[in-house]
Each structure stands twice: as structure tokens, then as C-alpha cells.
Amino acid sequence: MIVTTAQLFKHAYGKYAIGAYNINNAEQAMGLFKGCISSKAPFIIQISKGARKYTDKKMLEAIIRSADEIFPEAIFAVHLDHGDEETCYDCINSGFYSSVMIDASHDPFAKNVEITKRVVEAAHKKGLSVEAELGMLGGVEEDIKVEEGHACLTDPAEAQEFVKQTGCDSLACAIGTSHGAFKFKGKQSLHFDVLKKIQDRLPNFPLVMHGSSSVPKDEVDRINAAGGQIKDSMGVDVNEYLPAAKLGVTKINIDTDGRLVWTRVHREFFRDKPAEFDFRPPGKIFIEEYAKFIASRNVLLGSAGQLDDLRKSLGK
Ligand code: G3H
Ligand code: 13P
Ligand code: ZN
């Protein structure tokens, strides 16, 4: 069942975080739904601009609608990840999305406010909520690379002013994470002091943590043992998910880790069976492995086991 992102946030706020997982194809969708059903967790499906281009935005929509039929017990929202203004309007007008993210965080504050405000106005007219971003994460997004030195943490006072001026419904904050597999050089930790200050200024307001993959060492080691060359990778400490949730982070974005599971499964499969060329056997393994991974993340986020209570609170 597709619900609004606001309904998920209301149930989760201050207690646990909803896992927001990116999908690009049917195998990822199957693994995601299976993992969320087995762990009894609500979730958010995120679709990036890159994903909408990869096959076709309509294909992704059809995959999600079908998954909803195959797994009628699932409760989830559909969200545009890192949208520009034009893509936000396309998603808002499609009638399919629960929420959109307008990411104008690379623009100066006033321009970010101006763009976000326009998207909020259009989205609210159609009952969608809007995630905006303030501050700059390091790392790589689809077509934007932010060098470590240019990343900047969200300023709590600015965050309060930004939400007031834009009317956005949730805020992606930069608190030390970055996109991709190379998040920290040296000390691995979130800036809980900054997060606490943001929550103090924005009580009961849903915050979002991007760049939250944990980049598991055993996963990377297995990839490298099967021919990969991923060096100096480091992710978020999974033990920091729940403490962040208690400070108002209601949505935790995880994409890179799923790509690592895919890479490990396929590299090992073809290393061990070099004469194989049917993509379905490794695809099948990937679905099961991704489902296990998703379930394990939902446990760490505290969303595992919340499905029945959420259903009751929604009166369904
Ligand atoms: O933040 C970016 C997400 O991981 C999506 O990545 O733009 O390559 O689909 P993508
Ligand atoms: P990761 O690269 O850490 O998985 O972050 C994903 C993300 O923030 C998607 O918006
Ligand atoms: Zn992101």
C-alpha cells in the first residue's frame, strides 16, 4: 500500500528511522519488498533522476505498482531522490509519487529558498510533501561531485530560517556523511552536536540523513577477493543510526550498500562459474541477498517490527 511520506514520518518521529532505499530495476524492487516484509518494516522507495533515465520512469512506476500487488502487506512511500525543479514538477504531476526532494543545496541560501518555495507550493497543491536540503554533503551524486573541502555542515540557525521561509516538510542536513563508498578519511563519526542543535531549533520536524550506507568491510573484501579493486572505502557506523533517529532523523538513505551487494554476488558468481552466461541464476541470488541485507538494515534503523502498529494507526 502506497501511503504519504508524512504518515510514515508521523509514526516514526523520535523513535526509529524509515529506511529509504533507491531502486533502478525489478531485481532490486523484489529484494527490497521481500526484505521489508520479512522484517515487518515500512519503507521508502527512492527514485533518482539517474534511475528514471536508466530504463524509463514509466518502467519503474510499473515495477513498483506490480510489487505492490505481489506484496499487498507492504506499506511504503514513493519518493523522488535529489530532484531538480523540472523533475519535481514531473513527479508531482504524475500522480504516482508520495513526496519529492528538491535539491538546490548547491545554490546560495536565497536561491535555494526561492526554488524550494516554488516546489513546495506546487507539491502541497497536490498533497505531496517536500524534502529540501541545506548544507553540502561531500562525495558523488549523479552528475555533481563535491570535493571533501567544499562539503559544509548544516548551520542550525540557517536550518530554522530555511524551514520557516520555504515551508518544506522535511530537511536533509549535512552532519558529516557523504554519498558513495568513501565517506571518511580517518575518524568515522556523525556530528551529533550539530544534529542536536538542529533538533532544538526544529522540534518535531523530520530530518533526513543522506549518504548513510555503512559500506560493510566484509562485503568490500569479498568484492576485492573476486577481482574488484575498491580501495580505502569507509561508511557510516551502523550503531549511529538509532541515536540519530532519536534526535529527529526520520529518513535514512541507503543506496551504495545495495550496489555493493549486487557487485559481490555477480563477481563471485561469474568467478566461480566462468562458463555461465545466464543472468538469472545470479539475479536470483542477488534478490535473496539484497532481501537479507535490507532486513538487517531495518533492524538497525528500528523500523523492523513496526508494520502492524503502523497499519493500526492508519486504520487499515
Ligand atoms: O544520492 C544519490 C543516490 O545514491 C542515487 O544515485 O543518482 O547514481 O542513481 P544515482
Ligand atoms: P549512500 O551513497 O551512502 O548509499 O547514500 C545514498 C543517498 O543519500 C541517496 O540519496
Ligand atoms: Zn542523497
Side-chain angles (χ1 to χ4, degrees):
M1 171 175 42
I2 301 180
V3 297
T4 67
T5 304
Q7 285 171 311
L8 297 184
F9 284 173
K10 186 164 175 248
H11 191 256
Y13 188 88
K15 293 183 294 206
Y16 66 94
I18 309 275
Y21 304 103
N22 293 65
I23 71 155
N24 294 267
N25 62 21
E27 288 81 356
Q28 275 185 311
M30 286 302 282
L32 175 57
F33 276 77
K34 282 184 173 211
C36 289
I37 296 300
S38 72
S39 58
K40 289 185 162 290
F43 59 105
I44 294 173
I45 298 182
Q46 305 211 106
I47 304 179
S48 69
K49 280 184 288 162
R52 284 161 55 91
K53 266 187 263 161
Y54 172 57
T55 44
D56 188 284
K57 59 186 179 181
K58 283 280 166 203
M59 181 70 82
L60 282 177
E61 191 177 321
I63 288 171
I64 294 167
R65 286 197 198 281
S66 300
D68 190 26
E69 277 179 39
I70 299 166
F71 302 96
E73 58 283 50
I75 301 182
F76 62 99
V78 182
H79 177 78
L80 168 68
D81 190 29
H82 292 285
D84 53 23
E85 197 172 357
E86 191 191 336
T87 314
C88 283
Y89 296 143
D90 193 58
C91 293
I92 291 166
N93 293 328
S94 74
F96 178 61
Y97 286 71
S98 314
S99 50
V100 293
M101 175 189 190
I102 173 68
D103 182 357
S105 61
H106 305 279
D107 286 314
F109 184 88
K111 182 108 191 277
N112 190 352
V113 167
E114 188 189 309
I115 296 170
T116 302
K117 245 172 109 169
R118 283 200 295 267
V119 172
V120 167
E121 204 177 86
H124 285 184
K125 267 192 208 146
K126 301 245 173 154
L128 282 79
S129 49
V130 176
E131 173 184 327
E133 178 168 334
L134 187 66
M136 229 190 271
L137 275 71
V140 189
E141 284 161 32
E142 192 189 353
D143 38 17
I144 301 169
K145 186 169 190 311
V146 180
E147 298 296 343
E148 197 81 359
H150 294 282
C152 61
L153 300 185
T154 303
D155 177 88
E158 270 192 8
Q160 184 181 19
E161 193 51 35
F162 183 83
V163 170
K164 193 173 138 203
Q165 288 190 28
T166 61
C168 67
D169 305 281
S170 62
L171 188 67
C173 300
I175 51 166
T177 64
S178 58
H179 292 105
F182 312 95
K183 299 188 191 299
F184 303 96
K185 290 194 188 82
K187 200 175 166 294
Q188 174 194 41
S189 182
L190 303 182
H191 292 262
F192 282 105
D193 50 335
V194 176
L195 181 57
K196 174 82 180 71
K197 283 184 192 150
I198 297 172
Q199 193 198 29
D200 286 347
R201 286 179 176 267
L202 292 166
N204 294 314
F205 188 82
L207 305 174
V208 177
M209 204 164 89
H210 282 247
S212 303
S213 278
S214 65
V215 193
K217 188 179 173 325
D218 58 321
E219 204 69 82
V220 173
D221 286 347
R222 285 175 71 175
I223 290 171
N224 288 343
Q229 288 186 12
I230 301 174
K231 299 266 180 297
D232 302 323
S233 59
M234 201 190 283
V236 170
D237 178 350
V238 293
N239 296 311
E240 296 194 326
Y241 289 158
L242 256 186
K246 305 270 158 108
L247 291 173
V249 172
T250 40
K251 174 172 176 278
I252 290 194
N253 290 9
I254 297 175
D255 183 17
T256 295
D257 283 349
R259 298 178 187 204
L260 293 174
V261 174
W262 188 97
T263 304
R264 182 254 301 169
V265 166
H266 288 81
R267 277 199 179 276
E268 287 187 346
F269 182 87
F270 289 108
R271 174 197 61 190
D272 298 342
K273 293 189 170 54
E276 265 286 357
F277 52 87
D278 184 353
F279 55 81
R280 290 171 299 191
K284 205 77 194 151
I285 299 171
F286 168 71
I287 291 172
E288 294 312 320
E289 290 294 295
Y290 192 46
K292 267 196 259 168
F293 166 78
I294 292 286
S296 74
R297 267 35 202 172
N298 290 339
V299 170
L300 294 162
L301 298 173
S303 62
Q306 298 287 347
L307 206 55
D308 293 339
D309 190 64
L310 171 65
R311 198 185 314 281
K312 238 184 274 159
S313 80
L314 294 173
K316 304 284 178 188

